[in-house]
Amino acid sequence: MVSRVIPVDDFDLVIFGGTGDLARRKILPGLYRRYCSGQMPDQARIIGAARGDHDADEFRSMVRDAIKEFSKKNDCDDDKIEAFLKQLDFVSIDARGDKGWPELKGLMRDGVVKAFYFSVAPSLFGDIAERLHLNEIADAQSRIVVEKPFGRDLESAKALNKDLAKHFEETQIYRIDHYLGKETVQNLMAIRFGNILFEPLWNSQYVDHIQITVAETVGVGGRGEYYDKSGAMRDMVQNHLMQLLCLIAMEPPARFEPDSVRDEKLKVIRALEPVDPHHIVRGQYAATESEADYRTDAGDPRSRTESYVALRAMISNWRWAGTPFYLRTGKKLKARTSEIAVVFKDAPHSIFGPDAGRHRNILSIRVQPNEGITMQVTIKEPGPGGMRLIDVPLDMTFAEALGEEAEDIPDAYERLIMDVIRGNQTLFMRGDEVEAAWAWTDPIIQGWELRNDVPKPYDVGSSGPEDALMMMHRDGRRWREIKE
Ligand code: NAD
């Protein structure tokens, strides 16, 4: 199979925060990969804009190092890297002052797509939007890309939306949730809406429950101070897990177009019931002989921030009434995995008698690593001995099924940046969606803060706190094993 790469239009992309961690780890190596694939036009330009008195050569040298450090080894070809670097420029800029803005204006070309990536702290979003406008650098066709976190509650998200709306239309604003750029997440929509097989069963009549797991093995690392102000609910659930929930639960949009898809996602969020306090567990990883606890990593011996959340979400609409969606995410768990599992109900009657056991169809969608889809089906155990049933996986791992083509699958950031250049907002969050998500999570977080809730400890390398297992147990269900 030969992958088809459709080049995008010529563009000037300005990366505010171009020397920062995210730009070096994800954005710039991602753009380099798109350059190598032939998707980036030869004239396209990438302009780093950040604090610090670097010149363009120093910036290129930093990007060269970043590509070598953060790209896959096979992607690094010295000639290609040098050719890519020629498309880069740099402006030393002060987001809150006057420095650098006239220089930036001087570098921008007319007649090409202009995109501005705000890879800086959200507190600078408003300042940058204002200066782009005042200095007449952005126009009505320009696009801006903003990173998470988009606020820390409903009020701050509204304020951010308002600041951006002073200078940009909603159709110009691309709020990134990189989970939506992942290949398997998009495949989720292809599976649901491209096959006739699943959709008739995709409702409370046939689905017992759904589990969405995003498990990490890493702790808070060097981000302790930032993370401690946020916690798993704000950092993961409000955005990534809720986006996955929306894609699983939404009604079929009329078309795969930005507002059709986002309207349907918004309806799901608005149909979420408040979470019952008995169906939410927060946890914090505890120390082992060899590993520090969360509080040490976060630098606050009394921290009550959660590094783990498990909860049961219920959607009040015709399709999903009565079907629980169990969401969980945590750090320092036993394996790194992101999985969505649709657990179907038992067959209404077993013709094989009580000895055949309980068997269930489960559709599991692995978002990462080892992206793929598995359908658990029940078959007869081979050989003599009567009708004994076993469950076997019908497994489709993308790397195996697609061969070399899987190697060329762009990572989430690459894909999303190219979508910005193409002007396609389908995989970006709309302002009202983000606000609705905060409106659902805010009361949960406020409840914890009011009660001064202490997260339950869990062992590093475990599946999470005991209470989360009990929560499922009380519902007569079991979490799926966390494994790679
Ligand atoms: P960082 O601290 O590593 O980099 C910040 C960048 O902003 C630097 O290039 C710095 O020069 C620039 N900057 C700071 N103040 C400035 C000013 N006044 N004027 C002009 N430039 C200024 O931050 P980061 O980790 O790259 O994160 C950037 C954004 O992306 C943040 O909103 C963060 O929450 C978000 N984000 C980061 C990650 C990640 O893995 N690093 C992941 C998801 C989201």
Side-chain angles (χ1 to χ4, degrees), residues 6 30 46 91 118 159 171 187 222 225 299 344 418 459:
I6 302 166
I46 297 159
V91 184
F118 293 13
T171 50
N187 229 322
E225 203 183 319
F344 290 92
M418 290 300 111
D459 291 340

Side-chain angles (χ1 to χ4, degrees), residues 95-96 118 120-129 131 147 149 151 160 163:
R96 293 211 156 114
F118 293 13
V120 292
S123 54
L124 297 178
F125 290 178
D127 295 298
I128 295 177
R131 280 164 180 74
E147 263 299 333
L160 272 180
D163 277 351

Side-chain angles (χ1 to χ4, degrees), residues 17-23 25 49-51 93-96 119-122 124-125 147-149 226 413:
T19 56
D21 178 65
L22 182 68
R25 278 193 311 113
R51 265 202 309 217
I93 210 160
D94 182 2
R96 293 211 156 114
S119 181
V120 292
L124 297 178
F125 290 178
E147 263 299 333
K148 81 166 205 188
Y226 156 77
Y413 275 95

